Amino acid sequence: MDLDRSKPVWPQIADELRRRIDAGTYAAGARFPAVVDLATELDVAPSTVQKAVAALRAEGRLYTVLGQGSFVTASAGDASGG
């Protein structure tokens, strides 16, 4: 993923993660990659990825289970929104 460093990075990452969810790279019900793993993959700070993940959580695309991690919601890849 090529990031435009002249713009805020976290929204670009959120867009990429949305694309991956919509494409089925991260399937509904599947465990979402850890923030540190995504940060390493994308060569950004974990706090930057955390902002993107928080946005996806706020949109209802992800949910978190304490002690287990984040998961893709069952309807996340559904274009009809539900």
Side-chain angles (χ1 to χ4, degrees), residues 4-41:
D4 181 349
R5 301 285 177 158
S6 69
K7 298 178 184 175
V9 173
W10 76 263
Q12 296 176 69
I13 292 172
D15 287 344
E16 174 63 19
L17 296 177
R18 278 186 209 96
R19 280 190 289 275
R20 292 180 184 186
I21 290 170
D22 291 344
T25 303
Y26 306 133
R31 187 163 191 261
F32 197 71
V35 167
V36 293
D37 294 337
L38 287 169
T40 299
E41 174 192 339

Side-chain angles (χ1 to χ4, degrees), residues 10-79:
W10 76 263
Q12 296 176 69
I13 292 172
D15 287 344
E16 174 63 19
L17 296 177
R18 278 186 209 96
R19 280 190 289 275
R20 292 180 184 186
I21 290 170
D22 291 344
T25 303
Y26 306 133
R31 187 163 191 261
F32 197 71
V35 167
V36 293
D37 294 337
L38 287 169
T40 299
E41 174 192 339
L42 299 170
D43 194 27
V44 296
S47 60
T48 302
V49 174
Q50 185 59 47
K51 287 181 185 179
V53 168
L56 296 179
R57 196 176 299 118
E59 293 170 11
R61 290 176 172 261
L62 299 176
Y63 65 95
T64 300
V65 177
L66 189 61
Q68 295 183 26
S70 294
F71 297 83
V72 180
T73 57
S75 61
D78 183 356

